[in-house]
Amino acid sequence: MTQTPGIGVCVTDQEGRLLYVNDCAMMLFSAAPKIEYAGKSIHDFHSPQYVQERLAMIGRVLKEGKPLAIRHIYHGKQVHSTVWPIRDSKPPFGRVLVISRTTSGLHLETSDDSIESIETAFIDFGPLDILTQREIEVAVLLGHGMNVPKVAQLLHRSPKTIERHKSAITGKLGLRGQAELVMIISEMGLDLDDAKLKRLPRKN
């Protein structure tokens, strides 16, 4: 599994220490492969807000002894992860296995209905992070193929205002038209609820 293309594999513990991380997982969550993870933890790669949420999820998995499925968008890519408890018979205890993959344009689906799916409170828009909150909302709706009048109606704004946002979006992203925006939003699998999530701060 660790060598399967597109599958991120990570073993961590309840303190967030990284015990094993394959190259794909490093690409998904750190945007770079072959980073030396030995002796490091998720604190070294992610913001405190992200770490706090992830440790709470790991703690819940270990406490309940059941896996959790998570959908999150990180570095502008939709990532689906399943966190599995490792049932060790001897020390070290308190470890979990995290299997992650990217899925373009689809929300989380699990083949096992017994696995609870939860949503993260945070999002990393990646290249879209230069857009304002309102521009993200407009981009998502336009990216779902809606026309300007429909977007204006849904957001309770005038068509002229939406046209202004549309021009700002295409200008900031260097796009040539709405078709390219549709491709970006579809690839990321963004919907309007995602636009309301808290943006992850950049870790210095």
Side-chain angles (χ1 to χ4, degrees), residues 109-131:
E109 295 181 358
T110 62
S111 56
D112 187 343
D113 292 337
S114 68
I115 300 179
E116 181 182 351
S117 298
I118 60 177
E119 296 279 338
T120 177
F122 300 98
I123 193 166
D124 178 354
F125 288 112
L128 301 189
D129 204 42
I130 60 175
L131 303 181

Side-chain angles (χ1 to χ4, degrees), residues 146-166:
M146 295 184 186
N147 57 29
V148 168
K150 181 62 175 177
V151 174
Q153 180 183 9
L154 288 174
L155 297 181
H156 306 290
R157 294 293 187 273
S158 70
K160 184 176 180 180
T161 297
I162 300 304
E163 282 286 4
R164 187 164 61 249
H165 285 312
K166 182 179 179 181

Side-chain angles (χ1 to χ4, degrees), residues 189-204:
L190 285 176
D191 60 29
L192 200 55
D193 286 339
D194 293 322
K196 301 172 185 177
L197 297 176
K198 299 175 184 176
R199 299 193 194 201
L200 276 170
R202 300 295 182 184
K203 184 175 176 63
N204 297 324

